[in-house]
Amino acid sequence: MRTLHWKRAVLSFLLGVLAAMAAGDEFSTAASWIWYPERPAVEGAGQTRYLRKVIRLAGNPEYARLRLLVDDSLVFTINGKPAPEPVEHVSCGAVYDLTEALSAGENVLGFAVHNAGGPGGLIAAGLVRDADGTEYQIFSDTTFRVSRENPPGWDRPGFDDANWPQAAIVGNAFAQPWYNHPAFDLEPFLQPGELERYRQWFAGLIALPPGIDREPDVTARIEYENGWPALFINGAPRPALIYRGTVDPLTQHGRRQIALFRDAGVHVYCGYWELAQCWPLPGEYRFDDLDNFIRGYLSVDPEAYLILILHLVPPLWWMDAHAEEMVHYAAANGFADVDECFNVRRPSLASVAWRRDMMDLWRRCIEHIESQPWGKRVIGYQPGYGIYTEWHYFGSWTNQMPDTGPAMTAYFRQWLRRRYGTVENLQKAWRQPDASFETAQVPGRPERLAADALGLRDPALRRPVMDYYLCQQELTADCIEDFCRAAKEITDGRAICGAFYGYWHGVPPQTQGGHLEIARLLKSPHVDYFAAPYDYSHRLMGQDGRLRCLPEIFPLAGKVHMVEADTRTHLHTVEEHGRLPDEASSIAAIRRELSTALIAGSALWWCDFGPEGRGGWYDQPALIGEVRKLVALAQRLMEKPKRRVAQVAVICDPESMYLLPDGTTMQTHYAMLDTVTTELYKTGAPFDSLLLSQLSQADLSRYRLLIFLDAMIVDGLTRAKVKAATQDKTTLWLWAPGICDGQRLDPELVRDLTGFRVVLRGQGV
């Protein structure tokens, strides 16, 4: 049997979802991309689906040709027999001469199509002519029948396919990512007149607001107005409320969702774009699709402003050419490539080649946008990398223990040189007389799990693994700051920049992939806001709905936190992540989300990750009506000074996480964080969360109770600040406060800080 395979230069989960949104019912073509009625990029990833088309002929044909193109591979049969070899096999598909394979009566074309990942489907166009001149046209459409199974005889005449569903149209012949992609030539599948009609139709989708080319450049800031987070656009404040939908503004569904938020008074949108789409081949850069994406928003909402999340994963061809630049995992061999939470194939953050090439692409992209008339409406750029663009190191959420690859090993050695200067200093710090900068290795699984007294790492004994995690965390912060700095430079500071960062609750091994260098990034002049969703394990109705971050740390540093409100309303079509059961619960969740953001002094964007363009999360009068009312409420609140009333402060210390091994102690830490904060929410008393490093910045006079949640590393200077802060305060000490001064574990350090006596009886005590 003939198997065809088309290697794609750019494929990803979300790209597949966007492709599936392509306008099948908005602009139809005779031949369409078809698949089983499911999400090809999700349920269909790594799967084979079986499609059959029945053709009934009055006589033996005198001419029969069929053109096929698939994503990714195909086994093609005719009446149960292998199809003949193609007479033409190029990027516009394989052309088969079926004249000898078809006969009078019932004929069955069988297609076993395999989707390796991302978007998937089949498109076909053909013509059969009988001896009497009667012509039968064949187009891939809903007349095809499809199945997940391949029972015996499925591709032969006489098989009963009455229980097989009709094929679903994934997209028309102009659907992305296939149309204009170098690996796919769709022109031969078009019928006369379709291209011109499409061009006329498409021009309306990207029509710009009149006079936009004469508008002055837009300047944006995200700051505080009367204590409330606000977007200042050309100096005028507005509530920092945004719509972030993974919608295609060139489809009917996407345009409807944008219009809903436009009419609700939300004119700021957050769009997501994979930069790999702009780099199909080495040395070739294409920004047309991104331009159309931006213009699509403006054509729906002439008052639109955009923040772009630009995904920094390079194209597959780049990863194929840079195998040594990939992340390696101490807990896994090879690559799973199923999800970024696992041992996925991705470039290391330490890769010089990745940082160089993606920075070049990042700069080219922003420079291009800034040069276009519609670019002045792009008011923000957000770099995205790591798990789900959230700067969690790949594989960390499933304890894969990254990154042991050559790129990270080389970077770690350079980092050690900068930190210690001389090999003598390194040997002394590591207590290893044979240590050297040339031979230092990234710690493996045993070193990461090793524990000492109280289940903690003793810096005197575990300095190599603590150094590694500090190196990795600083590297992540470096990358965020570098990309934001470049965007600020290119836009001359007129645009805002931010990142998913600052997560605290609900983050698996925080040393492997947490956001422990938040204190440093809070000081960066290049990062304006930090985004994070709600804690997934606390978002159901009746739960406390906590944020994943420590919201009060941001205004204290003059930064803004952006709540990602991604609770699935009842309109979501998939039962996942606490999807709400009905309209009343959805309205309650919308109210709770914005109320939580307002209380915390946070900005917010409403998410809509509805699959395949079905069921926008707010596409119901009652839900979008609630959004409209809350936008008006936020506008009124900005006119009055915000008051903070909390009399309890919870002091948290990300740096102390470096003491926690990646096993039981880390799990105990999660349990304590969850239990303590859950009970605090149950009291009903408002509380603020601060960083240990912010003690000298915060006004502690209004707090009657200080809770030191995990302040285990307290050096000399910080120790003095803590003593001063707690002198006249009721203080609750948790875990082992101050047990480490950064150099060693010592119970006397706890007594010095708190007055309590701690006895260490051995490992794990």
Side-chain angles (χ1 to χ4, degrees), residues 384-715:
Y385 199 59
I387 298 175
Y388 309 150
T389 75
E390 295 170 89
W391 293 100
H392 303 292
Y393 218 108
F394 299 110
S396 62
W397 281 14
T398 53
N399 210 24
Q400 302 299 312
M401 300 187 179
D403 170 9
T404 61
M408 177 56 86
T409 300
Y411 183 88
F412 183 43
R413 291 170 179 174
Q414 294 171 2
W415 184 90
L416 291 172
R417 285 184 183 275
R418 293 193 299 270
R419 181 172 178 82
Y420 291 107
T422 68
V423 69
E424 290 78 15
N425 290 339
L426 174 68
Q427 293 169 350
K428 181 179 179 181
W430 282 20
R431 295 190 176 186
Q432 295 178 8
D434 58 345
S436 72
F437 298 126
E438 292 77 21
T439 61
Q441 296 294 319
V442 172
R445 183 180 177 88
E447 295 92 335
R448 301 186 193 210
L449 293 173
D452 303 302
L454 292 178
L456 303 175
R457 293 186 179 117
D458 187 339
L461 304 174
R462 311 295 174 189
R463 181 61 66 185
V465 68
M466 293 179 68
D467 274 348
Y468 167 70
Y469 276 131
L470 178 60
C471 167
Q472 186 218 68
Q473 292 282 331
E474 288 183 349
L475 171 61
T476 304
D478 284 344
C479 290
I480 293 172
E481 189 166 33
D482 286 349
F483 282 100
C484 288
R485 179 189 294 109
K488 288 286 189 180
E489 291 173 354
I490 296 167
T491 64
D492 198 23
R494 73 162 195 87
I496 62 175
C497 292
F500 285 115
Y501 201 81
Y503 292 33
W504 182 250
H505 296 292
V507 179
Q510 288 171 309
T511 42
Q512 289 185 37
H515 296 163
L516 301 185
E517 292 300 308
I518 181 61
R520 173 192 156 184
L521 282 179
L522 286 174
K523 299 175 183 177
S524 172
H526 311 296
V527 186
D528 302 300
Y529 68 89
F530 298 83
Y534 284 83
D535 190 330
Y536 281 86
S537 59
H538 288 262
R539 59 173 55 194
L540 299 179
M541 289 293 95
Q543 294 179 336
D544 51 56
R546 72 185 61 171
L547 303 178
R548 295 184 82 174
C549 70
L550 306 172
E552 291 78 23
I553 71 176
F554 300 100
L556 191 57
K559 305 294 183 180
V560 172
H561 173 248
M562 182 75 69
V563 174
E564 178 165 275
D566 63 343
T567 301
R568 278 67 171 163
T569 72
H570 70 289
L571 299 178
H572 188 47
T573 58
V574 179
E575 195 66 47
E576 63 178 10
H577 301 309
R579 173 183 174 270
L580 297 162
D582 50 41
E583 179 183 291
S585 297
S586 297
I587 292 174
I590 293 171
R591 290 174 179 169
R592 183 180 72 179
E593 286 172 337
L594 186 58
S595 298
T596 300
L598 291 173
I599 291 170
S602 298
L604 177 142
W605 58 43
W606 284 286
C607 287
D608 182 354
F609 301 150
E612 290 192 357
R614 295 178 293 157
W617 289 3
Y618 303 91
D619 197 350
Q620 198 171 71
L623 272 59
I624 197 64
E626 193 65 32
V627 170
R628 185 181 299 108
K629 289 188 291 186
L630 292 173
V631 171
L633 170 63
Q635 183 68 57
R636 293 196 303 271
L637 288 175
M638 281 179 53
E639 300 170 2
K640 303 177 182 179
K642 177 177 173 57
R643 293 190 307 117
R644 291 194 173 275
V645 298
Q647 298 181 12
V648 177
V650 180
I651 314 301
C652 305
D653 183 35
E655 183 184 353
S656 290
M657 297 306 96
Y658 294 117
L659 290 180
L660 303 181
D662 294 12
T664 304
T665 309
M666 188 70 76
Q667 296 166 9
T668 303
H669 163 68
Y670 294 149
M672 186 193 72
L673 283 181
D674 187 79
T675 300
V676 171
T677 48
T678 296
E679 295 306 314
L680 279 171
Y681 278 109
K682 287 181 179 179
T683 66
F687 63 92
D688 291 343
S689 299
L690 306 175
L691 296 179
L692 182 63
S693 60
Q694 292 180 315
L695 274 183
S696 58
Q697 299 171 248
D699 177 10
L700 303 179
S701 62
R702 62 185 174 87
Y703 298 120
R704 300 176 62 183
L705 173 64
L706 300 180
I707 302 174
F708 284 82
L709 188 61
D710 63 334
M712 292 177 286
I713 297 180
V714 184
D715 61 23

Side-chain angles (χ1 to χ4, degrees), residues 212-239:
I212 191 173
D213 56 332
R214 298 187 299 274
E215 290 180 2
D217 288 344
V218 174
T219 300
R221 308 191 322 271
I222 184 166
E223 297 174 357
Y224 292 89
E225 174 75 1
N226 280 331
W228 303 96
L231 273 169
F232 290 79
I233 298 179
N234 289 334
R238 63 175 68 192

Side-chain angles (χ1 to χ4, degrees), residues 28-96:
S28 61
T29 51
S32 301
W33 287 93
I34 60 174
W35 185 257
Y36 187 83
E38 63 185 356
R39 297 173 294 177
V42 183
E43 294 91 352
Q47 300 295 311
T48 299
R49 298 294 179 249
Y50 304 91
L51 299 84
R52 70 191 310 265
K53 172 68 175 177
V54 176
I55 302 172
R56 292 180 173 84
L57 303 176
N60 293 335
E62 66 172 18
Y63 176 89
R65 289 285 179 101
L66 182 67
R67 182 184 299 275
L68 295 174
L69 190 57
V70 295
D71 188 351
D72 291 287
S73 60
L74 166 73
V75 176
F76 177 27
T77 60
I78 303 171
N79 297 327
K81 299 178 181 179
E85 290 293 311
V87 295
E88 182 182 338
H89 191 182
V90 291
S91 61
C92 54
V95 179
Y96 295 85

